[in-house]
Each structure stands twice: as C-alpha cells, then as structure tokens.
Amino acid sequence: MRSLTRRQFLARTAALAAALSLDPDDLGRLLVTAPTATSGTTDIPSTLLQTILYGPTVQGSYRRLVAGPGEPYLPRLDVLGRDPDPSRTSRRRSLLYLGHLSDLHVIDAQSPGRIEPMIVQDHSAWGSAFHPHDPLSPHTVAAMVGAFHDARSSPLTGAPMGAAVVTGDSADMHSHLELRWYIDLMDGLTIDPATAGPVFQGVQAWPEATWAYRPEDPTGGAFGDYGFPALPDMLERAIAGEIRSTGLPAPWYAVYGNHDTLLLGTFELSPSLHALAVGGQKSYTLEATASTFLRGWAASGSAVQQGWDALNLAWGRSGFRAVSANPERRIYETREFMAEHFTTQPEPGPIGHGFTRRNLQTGETWWRAELSPHVRALGLDTCNAVAGPDGALPDVQFRWLRTELERAQREQKLVLILSHHNSLTMENTAQRPGETEILRHGPEVVDLILQFPVAIAWLNGHTHLNQILAHRSGDRGFWEITTASCIDFPQQQQVVEIVDNRDGTLSLFTTVLDHASPVSPGAPGRTGDLAARARELSANDWAETPIMRRGSPLDRNTELLLPSPFDLEIITDASLQAQRMTERARILAHEQRSAS
C-alpha cells in the first residue's frame, strides 16, 4: 500500500518538531533511520531475556531471589480456534504498542491515616493494611516507570510506545499526597518521601509495634521469627532524598480502582479517618486502631459520635504516638481523583488522562479516548462506592458501553476496554437503601462485549496476578488481560502490542516487565536497590502464596490470536507511517526530558 510522499514526510516532520520543541534536523534523522516494522530490539529489558525466581533460604524461612531464564512468547489459539499461518511472521505490522500498569498502590507509610495494626486481628484478611516494604512503595513505582522507559520500543517489532494505561488502585489509602505522588511519578517529576521530616515516623520505627516488621531490629515478632533480615538503615534510606522518575514515554490514561474509591478499597470513608489523616496522632495497637476506625464507620451517621471522636484525637488516646502533621495527607473526595489528573505535565499528556471537563461537570467517571487513529479505548468505572472490594457495572455505564461498541463497529475502530476489576471479580451487589439502579456483573459484561468483534481485548487488574482469559462465542471472541501489581510479588506490569498478521488474523503480544532494579539489592539508598529490596520482602509474604501471582506461562509472555474484526487493509501504510512519526517524535521528546 502507498506510503507517505517525500513532501508529506517533510511537512509532518516540521510540524512535529515545532509542536514538541524538537530540533527538526535531529527529528528528521531519527525518523529516516527508524527500524522497520518487523525488526525487534532483542536487548530491551523484559522477561523475554530474564526472569526473577525464588532462590535459597538464607535465614529461617526467608528466601532471596535469583535470576532465571527468559520466557519466549507462547501462542494461544483459544479464540482463533485453528492453527495460524506460520508465514505470518514475515508479513506482520504493528498497529499499536502500549504499556499496561495497574495496582501501583503508592503508599505514604508515615501517614496517620493508615490502619496497619489491623493485621494483628487477622494477617490474611487485613494483609493489604500493612506490608513490610510499604516505605519503599514510591521507589518501586519509580523503578517500574523506569522499566517502561527502557521498553519504550517494542522488543518484537521495534515500534515506539504509543500509549500507556493505568487500570486503577493508584493511591493506596485515599490520600491526596499519594494521589499526587502517583501522577507526578507517571509524569516524570520528583517526589519527596520525607513527609514528616528527616526522621521516619511510623510503626516500623517503633519498638512497641512488635507485630510489624521493624527493620532496625525485627526480633520479638512474627517477622523476625520468620527470618526477615535486620536492615538498620532501610527506613532512613527510604526517606533520605527525593525520588526521581523518568516518566512514562507515551500519553497515559487512567481509570478508577477500588482503593481510589473507598478506604482500603473496601470501606466508606469515615469522619474519624479524615481527622486522623491530617492530624498528629498515629495508632500502633489493634485496640486503638479498631476503636477509632471501626467505631467511626459504625457511627458515621451520628454527629455526636463524630464530634467525640475528633475530640479524642485532639486530646490523645492510649495506643497512639505523636507524629508530625501534614495537611497534604488529607483524604480526597471521589471526584477529586478525576480533577487531580488535570494538574499534570503537558507531555506526555494528555491533560486529564482520559477524563474530560465533561466528566468533572457531570460526575460521570467513564470515558472514551483515541489511543491512535485506529485504536479506541473505553475507560470504565467498575468500583462500588458503597462497600466491598469487588466491582460491578452500573446499568448507565452498561448502556453507554453498548452504544460506544455499536459506534466503534460502524466506524471500524479496534477497541480496548479498560477497567479495574476483571470479569471474575464483578459480583458486588452493595447498594444504599432506596437505590434501584441495576448492577451488571461479569458474565453480563462478557456477553455484551462478545457481540462486537471490534472489541479485541479487555485490560484490567485488581487481583494482583498475571492472568489471561479467552472469551469466545461461535467464530468470534476477545482476550481479557489482567496484569499484576507493584505492591505484591512479583511486582510486575506488562506491555501489549496489537499486530496485524495481514492474513485475516490479529495477534496481541503480551510481554511482562520486572521493574528496573537489580535482582538482588546492592548499594543501599538508590531507588533501584530500594525497589529490589521491596520485591524481595514482598516475595516472603507468608500470609499468602506469592509465587501464584506470577500466573502460568500462558498468562505472561504470549501471542494471543483472534480473527480480524474487519478488513484491516483499510488501515493504510501511509496512515501507520504518520502514526509512527508522531510516536517517535514523542519518544525523542521524552528522552530529552528524562536526560535533563
């Protein structure tokens, strides 16, 4: 098919250079020497080259991690239903290469608004309230952003990253400070983890909190008994300096997660939590935490009880210690999650990251965006704002989704559906008294999507594990791709590439990324080494089975085949060439920003 003419190429180069403040000669040389559509870059760091596996036990039950062999792409034919043409590898062309992030769980571990001691009641049930590596969460997210920077070109085709999506649970405990950290890390800014001054103020530094992992001296508690190591300077290093992020290399888009909607992703926000989050008292015992938070939830309708809780916090109470207050820790309201995405850098953009001014005006939390001229994203809000960690789709969104899929089918646009919850965790029925709107659950959403062949994939998170499900009806179907998290082992995310095989089939290539850090922690204090320490600590979470979160090989590096939903020859080589020019120009601008 016809490519861009020389005049079109030069005009587009000049326009891109002007729009992104690039040197036209530098950009021109880059675009002329760009890799061909089928030439991958084999040295891009990913689990194609190396995996990270359990190593030997070194103390008690505590295990180190070691490097393992890379994993090749495994073809999956569940949707296609037949053997593919082996010659497709010589014809394929990339339609879009994108990053998929989810469940970042950026944590301010010193916040009085956290409820860490609840693990004393039941470690498995309350495991998300406390992790031994909580103070290292911002370092982990920065290192994960670094991995997307390193993988800014496809390891399969060499195509530049054209977009990235974040499918929820970005701020861990509904803190405005955590929300800002997440956005700033995605944008390539620096953040300051010393939210209470130069000395760490939190349960991991307090000898009274024997239930916690206290890295200076873990003896006398369950973490020490398990074999967690003494790391006397971990907390000091965690807050010793600003954390710098490379930023994502492409425009990024976001949807709500349950942690962005409810406290700990489960409970309605209480007045006592609002007071605690910005106050100067932090709990370190189960009794103090339970009496404050649980009574606050139970009495949330009582103005008298709310006032009494606030007075108790002001006077001090047994089981609390004084900490430095920080007003930036305030609990944000649900609509503020959208609003904060408008306080962002113009590059990589876009302003709002999927959310629009109409979303702010109406309160609607779902959106449509064009990731490329040929691929459309539909961002859903599957979170239940009443109670419970799992989700559902309100009927108003269900009907909107149907309308948008009908439109995309007419316009012959490939569709990626984005949400936090996957089809297996959309069964929440919680509603407030008097509410009558129908809540649609996983099977209904799957059945709807199956009616529209242009919907080729549903990207989500929530479960903190790598999982890929095939959904098929007759001769059509789509792939549901769930990525892991940045808080629980294996602390992995992924890139996804949509490839036209030019034989009537499409392939979705999923590639799992480890964050940009060494396999084993090295020199203390550097972001990468602190992130490596976080991964090792998370791998030793005895309350669960961390290894299962890796998924099977069929959930990691895969080629997911399906029939083309329409004649993809309508996507001309010229339009793809123009798209690639824009994407490469953005990458060059990103490289210059990250190097400055």
Side-chain angles (χ1 to χ4, degrees):
M1 288 188 288
R2 185 173 60 86
S3 298
L4 292 176
T5 67
R6 182 175 184 276
R7 176 173 296 186
Q8 290 170 326
F9 178 87
L10 292 174
R12 190 166 188 85
T13 300
L16 288 169
L20 296 169
S21 301
L22 297 171
D23 182 281
D25 293 334
D26 290 344
L27 178 58
R29 282 189 292 270
L30 172 72
L31 297 177
V32 167
T33 59
T36 63
T38 57
S39 61
T41 308
T42 57
D43 61 349
I44 290 174
S46 76
T47 55
L48 292 169
L49 301 180
Q50 174 186 276
T51 54
I52 298 176
L53 307 174
Y54 279 104
T57 299
V58 294
Q59 180 175 301
S61 299
Y62 190 90
R63 300 174 71 176
R64 301 289 188 198
L65 298 174
V66 297
E71 297 182 331
Y73 292 118
L74 298 179
R76 288 189 55 174
L77 310 178
D78 318 37
V79 173
L80 185 62
R82 57 179 172 83
D83 290 335
D85 183 350
S87 66
R88 69 191 183 283
T89 58
S90 63
R91 295 189 303 266
R92 63 170 56 126
R93 57 177 183 162
S94 177
L95 302 182
L96 180 65
Y97 172 60
L98 71 152
H100 179 200
L101 303 88
S102 195
D103 297 84
L104 304 173
H105 290 277
V106 178
I107 292 173
D108 171 19
Q110 300 181 84
S111 171
R114 298 193 62 76
I115 58 173
E116 299 107 324
M118 292 305 298
I119 70 164
V120 177
Q121 194 268 333
D122 187 324
H123 195 154
S124 294
W126 292 93
S128 61
F130 175 79
H131 312 87
H133 50 286
D134 281 346
L136 308 180
S137 162
H139 301 271
T140 302
V141 173
M144 186 58 74
V145 173
F148 284 93
H149 166 81
D150 293 342
R152 58 194 180 275
S153 295
S154 163
L156 177 74
T157 67
M161 189 174 292
V165 298
V166 185
T167 53
D169 275 10
S170 302
D172 187 68
M173 282 292 283
H174 234 276
S175 159
H176 175 262
L177 184 65
E178 293 172 346
L179 177 57
R180 281 310 325 161
W181 278 358
Y182 135 69
I183 294 172
D184 291 345
L185 289 170
M186 300 300 104
D187 276 349
L189 302 181
T190 58
I191 65 169
D192 185 0
T195 59
V199 178
F200 187 90
Q201 299 178 11
V203 295
Q204 291 182 261
W206 298 339
E208 304 98 317
T210 55
W211 50 267
Y213 171 52
R214 292 159 293 117
E216 184 172 352
D217 180 10
T219 60
F223 286 93
D225 294 343
Y226 187 85
F228 273 67
L231 301 169
D233 62 351
M234 188 186 97
L235 299 179
E236 176 187 353
R237 297 292 184 183
I239 63 170
E242 290 186 332
I243 302 171
R244 186 177 187 274
S245 168
T246 62
L248 291 173
W252 59 275
Y253 301 81
V255 298
Y256 277 84
N258 55 301
H259 278 252
D260 308 313
T261 306
L262 297 170
L263 176 65
L264 207 64
T266 304
F267 303 100
E268 194 167 14
L269 302 172
S270 70
S272 58
L273 174 67
H274 285 269
L276 267 179
V278 296
Q281 298 282 324
K282 182 175 174 68
S283 64
Y284 62 88
T285 68
L286 173 62
E287 295 74 18
T289 304
S291 64
T292 300
F293 285 94
L294 300 183
R295 185 170 62 184
W297 294 322
S300 59
S302 166
V304 173
Q305 185 63 56
Q306 292 170 18
W308 179 250
D309 284 343
L311 285 174
N312 272 325
L313 290 175
W315 292 337
R317 175 188 292 177
S318 175
F320 286 82
R321 283 187 60 159
V323 295
S324 300
N326 187 334
E328 290 301 309
R329 292 173 172 150
R330 65 179 175 81
I331 302 302
Y332 62 83
E333 300 300 328
T334 300
R335 194 174 295 200
E336 286 184 73
F337 180 81
M338 293 190 290
E340 284 298 319
H341 285 80
F342 289 80
T343 304
T344 188
Q345 299 299 299
E347 299 296 336
I351 303 299
H353 300 290
F355 300 111
T356 65
R357 293 293 175 186
R358 184 179 185 278
N359 289 116
L360 297 182
Q361 293 164 1
T362 64
E364 293 178 354
T365 50
W366 52 96
W367 49 261
R368 177 187 70 241
E370 309 299 322
L371 302 187
S372 79
H374 314 290
V375 180
R376 179 173 295 167
L378 300 178
L380 304 177
D381 179 5
T382 56
C383 303
N384 190 304
V386 179
D390 289 346
L393 195 65
D395 192 59
V396 63
Q397 280 192 72
F398 187 84
R399 289 183 278 109
W400 175 86
L401 178 59
R402 179 188 294 278
T403 299
E404 288 297 330
L405 290 173
E406 290 171 345
R407 174 180 175 179
Q409 195 72 42
R410 289 193 307 270
E411 297 176 356
Q412 295 188 313
K413 297 277 190 179
L414 300 175
V415 173
L416 299 178
I417 295 170
L418 313 176
S419 73
H420 181 62
H421 297 90
N422 63 15
S423 63
L424 302 178
T425 58
M426 289 182 63
E427 76 295 339
N428 196 323
T429 60
Q431 289 183 294
R432 291 186 174 86
E435 288 185 343
T436 58
E437 184 172 22
I438 297 171
L439 296 179
R440 304 286 189 165
H441 299 121
E444 295 173 280
V445 177
V446 168
D447 288 345
L448 173 62
I449 298 172
L450 282 170
Q451 297 175 36
F452 300 93
V454 290
I456 57 175
W458 179 3
L459 274 56
N460 49 51
H462 185 56
T463 55
H464 295 201
L465 71 140
N466 296 312
Q467 183 179 53
I468 299 176
L469 301 176
H471 297 286
R472 184 179 176 187
S473 176
D475 61 352
R476 66 179 60 169
F478 69 93
W479 292 97
E480 183 176 356
I481 304 169
T482 302
T483 195
S485 75
C486 281
I487 192 67
D488 288 320
F489 185 79
Q491 297 189 345
Q492 292 177 328
Q493 309 278 260
Q494 66 183 317
V495 287
V496 179
E497 186 164 15
I498 305 172
V499 173
D500 173 16
N501 294 318
R502 307 191 95 156
D503 64 354
T505 69
L506 275 173
S507 290
L508 303 175
F509 284 87
T510 64
T511 312
V512 171
L513 302 180
D514 289 308
H515 47 68
S517 64
V519 175
S520 298
R526 297 185 305 180
T527 288
D529 288 289
L530 290 169
R533 179 66 68 189
R535 178 171 49 220
E536 181 181 281
L537 294 172
S538 72
N540 284 277
D541 178 7
W542 73 85
E544 296 196 30
T545 308
I547 192 67
M548 68 90 179
R549 296 187 184 276
R550 295 184 69 228
S552 77
L554 293 174
D555 298 308
R556 298 195 290 261
N557 297 340
T558 66
E559 180 187 6
L560 310 174
L561 287 108
L562 69 167
S564 300
F566 52 85
D567 183 3
L568 294 176
E569 292 302 308
I570 67 171
I571 301 176
T572 66
D573 288 341
S575 68
L576 282 180
Q577 186 179 2
Q579 175 186 328
R580 290 287 174 269
M581 291 178 69
T582 300
E583 292 166 347
R584 293 194 188 284
R586 287 177 182 152
I587 294 293
L588 178 59
H590 162 76
E591 291 171 344
Q592 293 182 355
R593 287 193 306 272
S594 62
S596 63

